[in-house]
């Protein structure tokens, strides 16, 4: 029996009709996943009714403009793959001060060609250190320092009016220890105790720990926190003040779905599923990307397709590509619409360090396995550290350790990055902090600045040419360097990631990177080869310092991106792929000879066949 357990009676007959059609299409998949997850619960039928009731309630409350967007998006399911999609990611307080202040900065985003805006967590956090807002105390309210829920809705509509989609973080793996659910659990409420993983037996903690990795081994070692008021150990994968939710409890699944539905109705068009791999726990495993985690995501996808089909899901799974790809699901069993292409990002930095683009080409080849209807979020930097371990198996460990030392300024190489090592023991594959400009070697006024800017442009130019939504990280457009003062702020001092979370410097001249990013965005617009459904296929050139990949549209539109990952002038022979006619570099406007395309040190070309 997979029929919907409640009658779809709504005052709006058109909506009821649309909803009935979507239920017929997506409820079976949602229910199948839900039943597999919660088969053991005696009162399963009751949970199914609760689920259906929340879904109907939210669909009925959906504002008319968002319903109109739902209808439009159903006709263009590839909306997030359009060539003109360009993203921007920032902290609200560091960019516009408040939500209202950010609204005043939207011209800046439009000038960069932005169509997708991801403000980092803005919901009400716990007081004090909140892991940059990733310790949420209320999923239905905004951080009062940034504004109100009204301001959020207002910003969402202002963005929508400019065809910029708002992406919000759903911190789905945990709540703050100060969230009302956690406070109720602390006060002894048995219902809310079940929302978390509370282990009374230390031996059991140890049994779990023996298979788990650690996210912050130096500042928050282990995965459990002893909480005397709870009479045991609470699962805390990240910081002790972030309590992992227990998805084996159907109430948690439904409450977090309700959070998604609520925020969708405020105007969010994309959800970044924070720490997606960690949702489900099973003893004897590393509790990352378990099959049940994928069922949770699959069920959410189907349920959102019923209540708010305009909305897309994006997986934040910063692991190896083999573990990321399942988050995109299959055409028959879709999960997220988007996932971060973190291996391409990481391999890009590795390529700059080593002059070998082989690992990046391998990552791009492996990424071809994604389903055509799902896409990547491509990026150069984000608010987190660069986790080299995601390239395990692609690059040998000793090489990764060298790359991590190089970016931390502890090993000589082709340029001098200004990054810092993060977590892990010295000598190991530690991750890296630092703004993109600093990692590229920029030291405002330094001797090597022109070449650092060329590397930054190269990194972004490759990223914009890959398939996916290229996301600019705050300040990179003005080549902002590290915020060396972060350690003076007590709540930030212990977390080195604040090095690359500076205040936007609106006084700083826009400069060549701003011009380059605007150009990349402009050149993507309307270019069919740049549709997300057309993957980047690497071309093999004899010199490993040369990266070449091609995007081809079935209608014939083509683009070859060529990058020089070395400090020498190089020439590339593309005649094997170029065919008979002439080619032109879109970036410089120059006609090129395909037998010997000249690339400056750290140079970049976007080549297309010249129109006859
Ligand atoms: C994600 C965020 C990161 C945060 C962690 C815990 O990985 O990107 O910044 O620390 O989740 O919420």
């Amino acid at each position: 029996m997979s029929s919907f357990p409640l009658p779809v009676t709504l005052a709006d007959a058109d909506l009821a009709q649309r909803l009935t059609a979507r239920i017929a299409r997506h409820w079976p998949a949602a229910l199948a996943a839900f039943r597999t997850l919660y088969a053991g619960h005696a009162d399963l039928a009751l949970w199914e009714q609760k689920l259906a009731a929340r879904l109907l309630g939210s669909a009925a409350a959906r504002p008319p403009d968002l319903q109109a967007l739902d209808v439009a998006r159903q006709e263009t399911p590839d909306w997030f793959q359009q060539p003109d999609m360009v993203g921007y990611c920032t902290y609200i307080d560091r960019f516009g001060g408040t939500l209202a202040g950010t609204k005043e900065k939207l011209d800046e985003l439009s000038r960069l060609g932005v169509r997708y805006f991801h403000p980092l967590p803005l919901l009400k956090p716990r007081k004090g250190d909140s892991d940059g807002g990733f310790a949420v105390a209320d999923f239905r309210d905004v951080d009062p320092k940034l504004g109100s829920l009204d301001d959020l809705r207002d910003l969402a509509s202002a963005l929508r009016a400019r065809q910029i989609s708002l992406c919000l973080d759903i911190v789905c793996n945990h709540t703050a220890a100060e969230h009302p659910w956690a406070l109720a659990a602390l006060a002894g409420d048995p219902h809310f105790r079940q929302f978390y993983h509370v282990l009374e037996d230390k031996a059991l903690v140890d049994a779990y720990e023996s298979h788990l990795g650690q996210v912050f081994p130096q500042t928050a070692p282990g995965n459990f926190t002893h909480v005397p008021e709870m009479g045991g150990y609470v699962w805390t994968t990240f910081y002790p003040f972030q309590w992992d939710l227990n998805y084996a409890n159907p109430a948690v699944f439904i409450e977090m779905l309700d959070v998604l539905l609520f925020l969708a109705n405020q105007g969010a068009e994309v959800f970044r599923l924070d720490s997606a791999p960690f949702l489900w726990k099973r003893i004897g495993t590393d509790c990352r990307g378990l099959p049940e985690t994928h069922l949770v995501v699959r069920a959410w996808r189907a349920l959102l397709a019923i209540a708010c089909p305009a909305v897309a899901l994006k997986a934040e799974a910063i692991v190896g590509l083999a573990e990321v790809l399942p988050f995109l699901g299959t055409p028959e069993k879709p999960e997220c619409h988007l996932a971060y292409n973190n291996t391409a990002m990481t391999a890009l930095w590795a390529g700059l360090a080593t002059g070998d683009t082989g690992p990046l080409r391998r990552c791009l080849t492996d990424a071809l396995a994604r389903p055509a209807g799902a896409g990547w979020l491509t990026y150069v930097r984000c608010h987190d550290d660069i986790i080299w371990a995601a390239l395990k198996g692609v690059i040998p460990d000793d090489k990764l350790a060298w790359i991590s030392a190089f970016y931390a300024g502890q090993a000589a190489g082709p340029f001098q990055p200004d990054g810092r090592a993060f977590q892990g023991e010295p000598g190991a594959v530690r991750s890296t902090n630092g703004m993109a400009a600093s990692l590229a070697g920029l030291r405002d006024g330094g001797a090597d600045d022109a070449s650092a800017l060329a590397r930054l442009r190269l990194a972004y130019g490759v990223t914009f040419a890959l398939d996916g939504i290229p996301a600019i990280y705050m300040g990179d457009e003005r080549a902002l360097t590290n915020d060396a003062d972060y350690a003076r702020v007590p709540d930030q001092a212990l977390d080195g990631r604040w090095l690359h979370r500076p205040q936007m410097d609106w006084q700083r001249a826009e400069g060549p990177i701003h011009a380059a990013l605007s150009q990349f965005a402009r050149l993507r617009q309307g270019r069919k080869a740049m549709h997300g459904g057309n993957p980047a296929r690497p071309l093999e050139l004899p010199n490993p310092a040369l990266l070449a990949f091609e995007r081809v549209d079935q209608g014939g539109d083509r683009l070859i991106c060529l990058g020089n990952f070395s400090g020498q002038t190089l020439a590339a022979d593309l005649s094997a792929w170029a065919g008979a006619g002439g080619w032109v570099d879109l970036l410089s406007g120059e006609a090129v000879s395909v037998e010997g395309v000249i690339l400056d040190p750290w140079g970049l070309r976007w080549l297309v066949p010249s129109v006859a």
Side-chain angles (χ1 to χ4, degrees):
M1 242 284 290
S2 64
S3 63
F4 198 68
L6 297 176
V8 184
T9 45
L10 299 175
D12 180 340
D14 286 346
L15 176 60
Q17 201 181 18
R18 290 198 298 275
L19 214 50
T20 306
R22 291 186 215 142
I23 288 171
R25 185 152 170 223
H26 299 291
W27 179 252
L31 193 64
F34 189 78
R35 283 187 176 170
T36 312
L37 286 169
Y38 303 113
H41 287 260
D43 47 359
L44 189 58
L46 215 63
W47 287 113
E48 289 171 16
Q49 285 199 3
K50 284 189 189 172
L51 183 62
R54 297 284 182 104
L55 204 58
L56 285 185
S58 136
R62 190 137 168 94
D65 50 345
L66 296 175
Q67 286 186 36
L69 193 66
D70 289 337
V71 173
R73 291 267 163 90
Q74 281 187 288
E75 272 146 37
T76 49
D78 62 345
W79 62 273
F80 58 89
Q81 294 190 305
Q82 293 305 315
D84 59 348
M85 288 301 282
V86 168
Y88 192 93
C89 174
T90 187
Y91 286 98
I92 290 289
D93 60 339
R94 271 133 216 270
F95 182 75
T98 59
L99 290 166
T102 299
K103 202 175 142 196
E104 302 307 313
K105 297 286 186 201
L106 297 190
D107 280 347
E108 296 290 333
L109 298 180
S110 292
R111 278 196 316 119
L112 278 168
V114 169
R115 295 280 321 280
Y116 164 106
F117 181 58
H118 171 207
L120 284 151
L122 47 73
L123 299 180
K124 193 174 171 189
R126 76 190 288 267
K127 291 206 172 69
D129 183 3
S130 66
D131 184 17
F134 284 99
V136 180
D138 188 346
F139 291 113
R140 288 161 202 274
D141 204 358
V142 163
D143 181 346
K145 290 204 284 301
L146 305 178
S148 64
L149 209 49
D150 279 340
D151 294 332
L152 177 60
R153 275 192 296 265
D154 199 33
L155 178 64
S157 0
L159 288 164
R160 203 157 54 250
R162 291 173 182 255
Q163 291 200 303
I164 303 178
S165 296
L166 173 66
C167 167
L168 290 186
D169 281 280
I170 293 293
V171 186
C172 46
N173 177 67
H174 43 263
T175 71
E178 292 75 10
H179 187 282
W181 300 338
L183 294 179
L186 274 169
D189 184 329
H191 174 72
F192 286 107
R193 187 180 174 90
Q194 299 289 327
F195 271 45
Y196 300 96
H197 298 271
V198 189
L199 279 60
E200 286 162 23
D201 181 359
K202 178 71 166 61
L204 193 56
V205 169
D206 295 342
Y208 271 110
E209 282 286 15
S210 62
H211 296 273
L212 297 175
Q214 298 196 44
V215 180
F216 302 127
Q218 285 169 335
T219 45
N223 289 275
F224 296 85
T225 301
H226 187 243
V227 183
E229 303 92 304
M230 298 287 276
Y233 298 81
V234 176
W235 200 308
T236 53
T237 300
F238 295 89
Y239 286 111
F241 53 76
Q242 289 164 311
W243 289 17
D244 286 39
L245 285 162
N246 173 16
Y247 279 87
N249 177 355
V252 167
F253 176 96
I254 292 177
E255 287 306 332
M256 289 310 290
L257 169 74
D258 216 40
V259 167
L260 288 161
L261 296 172
F262 172 79
L263 292 170
N265 282 358
Q266 313 308 308
E269 296 181 30
V270 180
F271 288 125
R272 172 185 180 275
L273 297 183
D274 180 62
S275 307
F278 296 89
L279 301 189
W280 201 276
K281 331 282 190 196
R282 191 178 335 120
I283 195 144
T285 74
D286 66 357
C287 300
R288 296 197 186 186
L290 291 179
E292 292 89 341
T293 293
H294 289 285
L295 287 171
V296 170
V297 178
R298 200 183 300 160
W300 280 346
R301 163 87 182 240
L303 293 163
L304 295 188
I306 294 172
C308 47
V311 171
L313 293 178
K314 176 178 66 168
E316 192 246 347
I318 310 305
V319 283
L321 193 59
E323 287 85 47
V324 178
L325 282 167
F327 280 99
L328 296 173
T330 62
E332 299 72 38
K333 294 184 170 172
E335 294 190 20
C336 290
H337 303 74
L338 291 160
Y340 284 89
N341 197 342
N342 67 299
T343 44
M345 179 276 289
T346 312
L348 192 143
W349 285 108
L352 289 171
T354 60
D356 179 5
T357 64
L360 176 52
R361 275 178 280 130
R362 170 154 167 216
C363 290
L364 296 182
T365 305
D366 292 350
L368 295 172
R370 75 164 156 94
W376 296 115
L377 193 298
T378 60
Y379 61 125
V380 174
R381 282 299 285 119
C382 70
H383 68 291
D384 283 329
D385 43 317
I386 301 178
I387 301 176
W388 305 106
L391 292 179
K392 247 182 179 311
V394 178
I395 296 181
D397 281 2
D398 56 341
K399 197 61 167 275
L400 285 178
W402 178 84
I403 293 169
S404 115
F406 170 69
Y407 278 108
Q410 295 157 357
F415 55 96
Q416 286 185 301
D418 188 16
R420 310 274 185 284
F422 183 57
Q423 302 296 327
E425 297 302 324
V429 185
R430 306 178 69 192
S431 57
T432 293
N433 288 322
M435 285 296 280
S438 298
L439 296 182
L442 190 73
R443 284 174 182 75
D444 293 310
D448 193 32
D449 283 3
S451 118
L453 289 172
R455 285 185 287 274
L456 184 56
R457 174 175 175 268
L458 171 63
Y460 264 101
V462 166
T463 301
F464 267 67
L466 290 174
D467 49 308
I469 303 179
I472 301 167
Y473 181 62
M474 57 179 213
D476 283 355
E477 71 275 30
R478 289 174 196 234
L480 238 62
T481 49
N482 292 335
D483 176 8
D485 289 339
Y486 79 89
R488 295 200 192 147
V489 182
D491 285 342
Q492 301 174 355
L494 286 178
D495 192 331
R497 293 175 299 173
W498 289 98
L499 182 69
H500 51 258
R501 298 169 181 176
Q503 285 287 341
M504 182 62 184
D505 181 356
W506 294 106
Q507 305 313 317
R508 192 179 170 100
E510 286 181 350
I513 300 298
H514 196 288
L517 299 190
S518 318
Q519 183 191 31
F520 300 151
R522 215 169 37 245
L523 291 175
R524 281 174 61 102
Q525 284 167 13
R527 193 162 290 275
K528 292 205 169 68
M530 292 301 221
H531 185 281
N534 299 321
R537 290 182 193 279
L539 310 176
E540 296 300 319
L541 296 172
N543 186 337
L546 285 174
L547 173 76
F549 60 85
E550 185 176 26
R551 309 277 308 274
V552 183
D553 182 67
Q554 23 169 309
D557 189 32
R558 296 174 72 183
L559 183 142
I560 293 179
C561 173
L562 197 55
N564 178 359
F565 283 58
S566 83
Q568 284 84 48
T569 301
L570 296 177
D573 180 357
L574 296 178
S575 49
W577 301 279
W583 284 66
V584 58
D585 175 11
L586 285 178
L587 300 174
S588 66
E590 289 168 276
V592 296
S593 149
V594 291
E595 290 81 25
V597 185
I598 306 295
L599 283 134
D600 292 335
W602 315 107
L604 170 75
R605 301 230 187 228
W606 281 14
L607 304 171
V608 296
S610 40
V611 196

